[in-house]
Each structure stands twice: as C-alpha cells, then as structure tokens.
Amino acid sequence: MSLLVVGLSHRSAPVSVLERASLAADTQAKLLQDTLAAEPATEAAVLATCNRIELYADVDKFHAGVAELSTLLAQHSGVGLEELTPYLYVHYEDRAVHHLFSVACGLDSMVVGEGQILGQIKDALARGQELHTAGRLLNDLFQQALRVGKRAHSETGIDRAGQSLVTFGLQQLAAGADPALWAGGKRALVIGAGSMSSLAAATLARTGVAEIVVANRTRSRADRLVEILQQGDDTAVHARAVEMSAVGDELTRADIVVSCTGSTGLVLTADALADALGVTLDAAPEAPAVTAVAPAPGDVDQHAAWVENGSAASAAHAGPVAAPPRATVPAQSTGPVRLALLDLAMPRDIDGAAHRIAGVRLVDIESLAEASADAPMAADVDRVRTIVSDEVAAFGAAQRAAHVAPTVVALRTMAADVVAGEIARLDGRLPDLDEKQRAEITQTVRRVVDKLLHAPTVRVKQLASEPGGAGYADALRELFDLDPQTVAAVSRADLNDPNRGRS
C-alpha cells in the first residue's frame, strides 16, 4: 500500500474555486466514509482549512487512486470534475509525506510560518480516528507531521518569517502605517467566536483598540470570549458581547470589523454596510478593476502535474495542468477610510461589492494571498526545509522497517513453534529426563535458534529501511516459506493496538 494525496489550495486555485469547494464538517465525514468504501483505498483523512482541501489515502493502485480521489473530491465539493481538475495537485509516497510535513511547518501557508495549521492537522487526525478511517499509516503520518511542525517552530525562527493571518491582515488594513498607531483608540467589531475570531480579538486587544464588540450566533461563546479578553494581563481593552441581530447597529459605531464564521452565506452584505455608513450603494463610484494573476501550478514547488514518485513520466501520463484563469478584483475605493473590514472566512463572510462603497477598505483572503506572495523569506525557512527533508527520510526509513517487522515476528514465531515441537518429540523419546535436564536442553536449542536468526533479522530490518528495501520482507517470506496469513495476523494485531498512534 502507498500514500497518496489529492488536493487544492490557495497556491493552485483561485479563491472563488476554494470557496465553492469548501467542505462542511458533515460533508468531510461523508467524504472519508466514501473514500474508504472505494476500492483503491484502505485508509483516509481529510485536511480542510480556509486555504486548502486535501484528501489523504493509503491506496494499492496509483492511477486508480488518483482517479477515485479526484472524483470523490468533485462529488462532495459540488464543483464539477472537469472544472476542478486543473486546480488539483497530486503527491505520492515520499512526496506526499514531504508535502504534509511542509504544510505542518507553515511553509505552504498563505503567510509563511503561521502555526494555526498544526491545530487543523490535529483536528484532521482526530476526525479520522473518530470515524475509524485513519489506520496505521495515516496515524503515524499525521502524528509525525505534528512533531515535525512543533520541531520547526521550536528549533528555528520560522515564526519570524511571517505573521499570523490576523496580524498580516491588520498590516494590510493599516496600508503601510504602524498597526498599533493605526488601530489605537478605535472601536472593533469581531463577528464569530471560533479559533480564528478569538485570535483576531486577542490581536486587536494587544494592538491597542479601545473597544471590542463580539457578535456570535451562540451568545454563550461570545460571552466566554469577552471574559477571556477582559482577563488578559497585557491589555486594558473594554469588551462586550452582543447578539448577531445587533450587528447592524454595531456597524454604525465600528471603525474595524473582523469576520470569520462558519456561515455558508454572506454575513455582511454590501447593502447592510452602505446603510451603516449612511450612503447609497448604487450611487457609490465604481472603481476600475485591476487584474491579478493567480500563481500557475508550474510556479510553485510541489504543485506540478500529477506525480508518481516524482517521475516526469507519471506527470506526463496525468496530462498537463491548465493554469488558473486570471481573476479580476475590484480596486479599493479612494478617499478617507471610515470602515476597515478584514474577512478571514472561507467561504467569505463579507460581500466583495463592499469594495465599491466610499470610505470602506476591505481585505479578504484573496487580497492577503496576493500581498503575501512578495513577502520576504527569512533565512530560517531554509533551515525548516532541511528539517523537513531529514524528517521525510527518517519517516520513510521507519515505515519501510515497520513493513518488514511483521514478517520478522512471524519468522521468530515459526522458529519458536519448531523448537516446541522438537522438545515435545524429545520428551517422547527420552521420557526419563528430569526437569533440570529438560530445561537445559530447551534453553540450549532456543539459544541456537536465536543466534542463527539474530544476524539475518537485524540485517533485514536495516536493509528494509533503505530506499528500495520493501522487497526484503517478500524475500524473507519466500525463503522461510512463511504463511502469508500468519504475517497478516501480526499486522492486524499491531494495527489494533489501542496504544498505537497516540501521544
């Protein structure tokens, strides 16, 4: 079996496609179950965030797996396969491991070095474990990805290579000014009380806003976030919670709005924003459009055509990947900013037509992606890439060694059975042996067998951990005529170990 990942992200697809392809929690569960029911896959996990949707699976056939996973993604996302295919990337075996480890370290994030992806990877693993779709391979893979990500953040300055999406968004809203000076004394409205909204509220509090109003569909969660904000030792912000129905009124008093909810529709329409500012949307000047070019797959490392073990032949087999279309983005209205909007949701919470309202500045996921494309890369990024490469090699060696382990266990079990059989036959031939003599003979035979098996079993584990070493387990089974069902039983026992894959 081999690891395969099929997905799309902000690097391969425009925001409009990512919005349409976003997966709700219940849809993710159905996708995992359907993936496991598909013939090529025996394990599955889905990593779905604002900026990426990736389906991981343990498959026995590469091309059939690519076709099946791509079709399943299209079916569950609601985006047709023909439309979705140009934006998909595929990684296989070591390249798939390399991709996930890079994602865990923040190298593949919209803002390089952000650490929130670790929580999302942890959630993806927990979902797979809860639904019993993540087996030995994906448990090991995602657990190791979490460790690699934590190592990157603790051993390097990758955090300095970029800021959190919230901080970066506030910098864009400040338009070159010091965010603390720009935001100081302002009133902020935070819509949503999830992890991203909570981070936004905490960041705003540290930045120096005078007041934060939290609106959420579940009032108790908004109240809890306000309580946390007021308990902070490093801020003196005034915070209060309101019902979602009060958002319209709060807009008239807010200077900054940050929205990140799980809504599938718009939370703030252009009309509502225009009403809050006391302007008529239809009368607002139409700003000229500027054209932004989404990065072509060939421009981003590891986002090329479908790849099998990194071979050009496989990429050619999969066919060329079309470049994403050019996206037309309305320019910001000119004049003084009366209301600054930061939309961190996917699908978006705030109507893109807000660009046309005089006095409004809108920063959303799409504009953040464009702004971060030219962000300077810190030297620490190279150190993290080295960590990722080393960890990929170590993970591959460990997996290959683990692949031969059941065969070694089966061999030693067979040897123990042979010893037991011969000792039993000796008892029949020499019934007068006392217990001490029988024990000494038994121990001697066992030592002989152990010494004979020690060197080849240790060596086969070493050889199996090297690239191309997967065939050694097959050779061992063939040479010692091991029962395949016995080896499979050892593998199943290892897979069902309740302590495996948990930290």
Side-chain angles (χ1 to χ4, degrees):
M1 304 301 287
S2 301
L3 178 65
L4 174 68
V5 56
V6 178
L8 68 160
S9 75
H10 64 98
R11 292 188 181 274
S12 70
V15 171
S16 59
V17 174
L18 283 172
E19 281 185 323
R20 293 169 54 207
S22 62
L23 303 175
D26 55 344
T27 306
Q28 293 178 39
K30 186 65 166 62
L31 172 59
L32 287 174
Q33 292 164 350
D34 289 351
T35 302
L36 216 61
E39 183 177 343
T42 59
E43 299 182 34
V46 61
L47 178 59
T49 73
C50 291
N51 304 317
R52 72 180 65 251
I53 302 167
E54 296 177 343
L55 181 56
Y56 291 77
D58 188 6
V59 300
D60 57 1
K61 298 175 182 176
F62 170 74
H63 296 292
V66 170
E68 189 66 38
L69 267 59
S70 301
T71 300
L72 288 167
L73 276 175
Q75 289 176 348
H76 289 80
S77 68
V79 180
L81 182 59
E82 289 187 2
E83 182 182 359
L84 191 64
T85 296
Y87 304 111
L88 293 177
Y89 48 78
V90 173
H91 301 298
Y92 190 54
E93 294 189 333
D94 284 351
R95 285 182 65 90
V97 177
H98 191 285
H99 173 72
L100 181 58
F101 287 5
S102 297
V103 169
C105 293
L107 292 179
D108 199 58
S109 296
M110 184 177 294
V111 179
V112 172
E114 63 92 12
Q116 284 192 317
I117 188 63
L118 286 175
Q120 293 160 335
I121 291 174
K122 185 176 181 180
D123 291 343
L125 174 60
R127 186 182 304 109
Q129 291 174 337
E130 180 182 354
L131 297 173
H132 305 289
T133 63
R136 181 174 58 193
L137 175 61
L138 293 185
N139 267 290
D140 288 351
L141 175 69
F142 276 70
Q143 289 280 1
Q144 188 63 23
L146 291 171
R147 286 189 283 267
V148 173
K150 292 174 183 176
R151 180 187 170 194
H153 284 281
S154 64
E155 295 183 13
T156 76
I158 187 66
D159 303 82
R160 297 191 300 269
Q163 306 84 17
S164 74
L165 206 57
V166 174
T167 305
F168 193 62
L170 291 178
Q171 288 179 345
Q172 297 305 304
L173 285 178
D178 183 338
L181 295 177
W182 171 80
K186 285 183 167 61
R187 294 186 178 93
L189 170 62
V190 175
I191 304 176
S195 58
M196 182 66 80
S197 298
S198 299
L199 175 62
T203 304
L204 286 166
R206 289 193 299 270
T207 304
V209 297
E211 181 183 48
I212 296 177
V213 178
V214 180
N216 192 58
R217 284 187 171 84
T218 304
R219 176 61 184 267
S220 61
R221 296 191 65 182
D223 289 333
R224 176 57 180 157
L225 178 52
V226 166
E227 182 181 349
I228 293 172
L229 290 172
Q230 293 178 331
Q231 289 174 347
D233 295 332
D234 56 344
T235 65
V237 67
H238 173 66
R240 57 188 175 89
V242 298
E243 303 288 346
M244 284 293 288
S245 58
V247 165
D249 291 336
E250 295 298 335
L251 282 174
T252 64
R253 293 185 284 270
D255 303 301
I256 304 170
V257 177
V258 180
S259 186
C260 187
T261 72
S263 175
T264 56
L266 293 176
V267 174
L268 294 180
T269 64
D271 287 333
L273 291 165
D275 289 343
L277 294 175
V279 301
T280 303
L281 179 62
D282 293 338
E286 186 76 32
V290 293
T291 301
V293 182
D299 294 338
V300 184
D301 185 34
Q302 298 184 40
H303 289 274
W306 293 344
V307 178
E308 180 180 9
N309 269 341
S311 66
S314 297
H317 174 88
V321 176
R326 296 166 72 87
T328 301
V329 182
Q332 298 283 359
S333 61
T334 58
V337 177
R338 296 172 56 193
L339 186 59
L341 307 173
L342 178 57
D343 186 357
L344 299 174
M346 183 69 72
R348 70 188 73 196
D349 279 348
I350 302 177
D351 193 342
H355 282 288
R356 297 191 286 112
I357 303 175
V360 169
R361 175 177 292 149
L362 172 61
V363 171
D364 54 21
I365 293 292
E366 191 164 18
S367 57
L368 283 175
E370 294 170 0
S372 65
D374 298 324
M377 303 292 284
D380 290 287
V381 170
D382 288 335
R383 294 175 58 197
V384 173
R385 287 175 176 154
T386 300
I387 289 175
V388 169
S389 297
D390 292 345
E391 292 285 357
V392 169
F395 182 82
Q399 289 298 306
R400 288 187 291 269
H403 179 69
V404 77
T407 303
V408 171
V409 172
L411 173 60
R412 290 192 172 275
T413 300
M414 183 193 74
D417 291 342
V418 170
V419 169
E422 289 302 316
I423 294 300
R425 190 170 67 168
L426 184 65
D427 286 342
R429 291 184 175 184
L430 301 174
D432 296 331
L433 287 176
D434 59 34
E435 289 299 324
K436 182 177 180 180
Q437 291 171 327
R438 184 180 295 104
E440 184 63 33
I441 293 172
T442 300
Q443 186 63 26
T444 298
V445 175
R446 286 175 177 169
R447 280 198 300 266
V448 170
V449 172
D450 286 343
K451 288 182 178 180
L452 287 173
L453 291 181
H454 177 72
T457 53
V458 169
R459 184 60 179 148
V460 78
K461 289 181 180 179
Q462 294 172 341
L463 293 171
S465 67
E466 298 173 359
Y472 285 100
D474 296 332
L476 205 61
R477 285 194 295 269
E478 187 70 25
L479 287 171
F480 287 92
D481 194 25
L482 297 176
D483 183 1
Q485 292 184 352
T486 302
V487 177
V490 175
S491 299
R492 286 193 298 271
D494 185 44
L495 182 60
N496 294 327
D497 182 352
N499 297 317
R500 182 180 181 85
R502 300 188 182 275
S503 61

